[in-house]
């Protein structure tokens, strides 16, 4: 079978090839660009992280602590829990309460999908390596399509997609807050907005609904971020094109699908501490677009305000900043470059881009505008608004649409500024800048390559022989708060999974169901059960005063179990 690939430049028709049966197969420029970006993104993933983590039975790399362990163990408890409605609820990780898979950041979409096939999956199964590969592929493919909409060159668009794939904000999130590696959702929102004028009202609404459902089933932060992007384009259609029905249907479809996904996953099934505090500590710093925060060997790090200022990382990469400088120089001294850029921006979607940038910056800086290590202005927003804002206290993440706009602008300006300099000059300059960006961020890239490509070996913190004796119990109850000792928390959780036990508490996002957990703990201590193991920190020995229990020390913990005679005496008292 012979397939000819064509380009859509000019008349928009691709070349055609014929199968022996006479059927024609057409691969146009858009499809070729998409495929090239996907392959480049996946290749970048393999070169950066290696192939070891793609083994679905390899779990040790996910048990070495940090957020990765939270994500993986959340999936394991969800897999072992009975199906419930809503489908995202699980009952083994906060027993006897139910909690949504959303609040372990375990990529709910994949968790539900693979739970459907849990009977056929191997006993040990992780999907986080596959998730990363898919994210990098989609980041490259959609980035290439986005760039190609402004630059009619398949090769340039594919090479340029590398800057979306290797954006520091993408690599920083992957395998830290793993679900937030799905930044291709932002690129998809840009594409839907840009292509909206060419779509029927129904198709546009369906695409917006699909995007909303994906945002709601991957990570809640993407709902408002993609909402800002789509909302700007829909508002522009209403104002400048006098269209109301199609934008209204598209916006409604997006919101309805996002809310429906959250409801189906159990995100609204219990109370949460909506404002966990910290708004203003995890925000975008006004020096953020030029502050590498460890992502450059050339540029120095600039001071930051707040303990969690890393949430506002917005450095687009040294190659992108260099592209902007080169473009500015050419536009200043070369008339042909100015004319090319002027023609390109006329009649385009720039009002939507301005609105996206303004809204994203306004949300990301929070109510405290920080420049360097100082707050220069605390905006007197109403307390109620600040409290609601606290639901998304890591508001520095809202700068991401601006970062991707900056990457897109730099690549498009470079292309048009170099027009007339030679057919292959733009692509050659782009390859050179990609090399600069990779070389400049090499310490960060190498650290991830060394960490994830090497064989990890998990060693449980539970080494005492007593754990074998306790393996017939059914429940672990953390009387002491172990959230700040996550190594021990995750070790106990992994032990509970191996022994088919439940746990009563875990590290949840947004302080989910904390009041229910406290109430259940009080009841469990009041109604001490022989099938339960009660765990205390060694330094909280003063809490171990229940005469019904015997206490033993092991691995930095005090282990309480109900005495056999105490339980028999209690049963006798009940029936007498």
């Amino acid at each position: 079978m012979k397939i000819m690939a064509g380009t859509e430049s000019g008349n928009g028709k691709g070349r055609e090839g014929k199968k022996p049966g006479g059927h024609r197969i057409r691969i146009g420029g858009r499809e070729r660009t998409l495929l090239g970006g996907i392959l480049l993104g996946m290749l970048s993933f393999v070169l950066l992280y290696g192939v070891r983590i793609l083994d679905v039975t390899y779990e040790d790399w996910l048990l070495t602590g940090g957020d990765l362990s939270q994500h993986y163990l959340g999936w394991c408890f969800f897999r072992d829990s009975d199906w419930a409605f809503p489908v995202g609820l699980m009952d083994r990780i906060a027993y006897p309460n139910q909690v949504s898979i959303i609040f372990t950041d375990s990529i709910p979409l994949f968790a539900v999908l693979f739970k459907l096939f849990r009977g056929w999956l191997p006993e040990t199964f992780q999907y986080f390596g596959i998730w990363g590969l898919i994210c990098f592929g989609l980041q490259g493919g959609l980035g290439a399509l986005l760039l190609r909409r402004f630059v009619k060159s398949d090769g340039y668009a594919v090479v340029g997609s590398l800057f979306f794939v290797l954006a520091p904000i993408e690599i920083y999130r992957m395998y830290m807050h793993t679900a937030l590696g799905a930044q291709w959702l932002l690129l998809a929102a840009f594409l839907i907005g840009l292509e909206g004028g060419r779509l029927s009202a129904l198709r546009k609404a369906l695409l917006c609904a699909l995007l909303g459902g994906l945002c709601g089933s991957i990570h809640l932060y993407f709902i408002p971020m993609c909402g800002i992007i789509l909302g700007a384009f829909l508002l522009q259609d209403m104002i400048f094109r006098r269209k109301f029905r199609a934008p209204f249907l598209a916006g409604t479809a997006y919101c309805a699908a996002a809310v429906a996904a959250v409801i189906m996953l159990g995100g609204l099934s219990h109370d949460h501490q909506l404002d966990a505090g910290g708004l203003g500590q995890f925000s975008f710093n006004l020096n953020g677009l030029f502050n590498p925060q460890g992502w450059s060997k050339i540029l120095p790090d600039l001071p930051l305000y707040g303990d969690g200022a890393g949430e506002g990382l917005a450095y687009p990469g040294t190659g992108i900043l260099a592209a902007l400088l080169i473009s500015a120089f050419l536009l200043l001294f070369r008339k042909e470059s100015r004319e090319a850029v002027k023609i390109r921006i006329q009649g385009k979607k720039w009002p939507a881009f301005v609105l996206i940038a303004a809204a994203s910056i306004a949300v990301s800086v929070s109510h405290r505008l920080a420049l360097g290590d100082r707050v220069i202005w605390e905006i007197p927003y109403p307390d109620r608004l600040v409290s609601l804002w606290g639901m998304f206290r890591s508001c520095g993440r809202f700068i991401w649409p601006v970062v991707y706009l900056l990457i897109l602008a730099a690549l498009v300006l470079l292309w048009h500024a170099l027009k007339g300099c030679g057919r292959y000059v733009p692509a050659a300059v782009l390859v050179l800048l990609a090399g600069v960006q990779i070389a400049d961020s090499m310490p960060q890239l190498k650290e991830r390559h060394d960490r994830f490509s090497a064989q990890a070996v998990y060693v449980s913190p539970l080494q005492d022989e007593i754990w074998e004796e306790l393996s017939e119990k059914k429940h672990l109850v953390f009387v002491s708060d172990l959230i700040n000792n996550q190594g021990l928390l995750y070790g106990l959780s992994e032990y509970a999974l191996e022994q088919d036990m439940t746990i009563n508490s875990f590290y949840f996002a947004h302080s989910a169901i904390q009041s229910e957990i406290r109430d259940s703990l009080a009841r469990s201590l009041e109604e001490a059960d022989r099938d339960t193991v009660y765990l205390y920190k060694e330094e909280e020995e003063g809490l171990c005063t229940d005469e019904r229990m015997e206490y033993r020390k092991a691995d930095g913990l005090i282990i309480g179990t109900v005495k056999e005679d105490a339980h028999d005496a209690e049963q006798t008292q009940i029936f007498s």
Side-chain angles (χ1 to χ4, degrees), residues 156-185:
Y156 187 90
V158 170
V159 175
S161 71
L162 191 62
F163 290 90
F164 293 97
V165 171
L166 297 181
I169 56 175
E170 167 68 7
I171 298 175
Y172 177 63
R173 293 296 166 179
M174 183 59 67
Y175 299 136
M176 183 177 69
H177 300 129
T178 310
L180 290 174
Q183 293 172 29
W184 49 268
L185 291 168

Side-chain angles (χ1 to χ4, degrees), residues 180 219-225 391-394 397-398:
L180 290 174
H219 200 285
L220 298 183
Y221 269 79
F222 286 121
I223 297 177
M225 277 194 275
M391 294 172 59
F392 297 95
R393 65 172 185 164
S394 297
R397 300 169 184 175
F398 283 80

Side-chain angles (χ1 to χ4, degrees), residues 14 19 23 26 40 44 47 57 63 113 136 143 153 157 212 214 303 317 329 358 363 383 431 465 521 532 557 571 573:
K19 294 197 302 182
H23 298 290
R26 176 182 296 175
L40 185 58
S44 300
L47 291 175
T57 63
L63 291 171
L113 175 64
F136 268 54
S153 169
L214 288 171
F329 179 83
V363 176
D383 292 341
V431 170
E465 295 179 357
L521 174 60
T532 301
L557 292 166
Q571 292 296 103
Q573 185 177 6

Side-chain angles (χ1 to χ4, degrees), residues 37-116:
I38 289 174
L39 292 177
L40 185 58
M42 288 185 167
L43 177 62
S44 300
F45 178 88
V46 171
L47 291 175
L48 181 57
Y49 296 101
V51 297
R52 196 185 305 273
I53 63 174
L54 297 176
D55 179 357
V56 297
T57 63
Y58 171 48
E59 67 172 355
D60 289 51
W61 69 288
L62 296 163
L63 291 171
T64 53
D67 292 317
L68 267 177
S69 296
Q70 177 204 23
H71 309 334
Y72 175 60
L73 292 169
W75 147 246
C76 292
F77 278 107
F78 180 67
R79 174 183 175 173
D80 288 350
S81 294
D82 294 332
W83 283 107
F85 185 83
V87 296
L89 294 178
M90 50 182 162
D91 60 1
R92 300 181 61 84
I93 199 170
Y95 184 83
N97 303 292
Q98 292 182 318
V99 67
S100 172
I101 187 67
I102 287 175
F103 299 106
T104 57
D105 288 336
S106 303
I107 313 166
L109 176 67
F110 270 34
V112 172
L113 175 64
F114 285 111
K115 185 174 178 176
L116 291 171

Side-chain angles (χ1 to χ4, degrees), residues 9-21:
S9 58
N11 60 11
K13 295 181 180 179
R15 299 172 189 166
E16 296 179 344
K18 258 191 178 181
K19 294 197 302 182

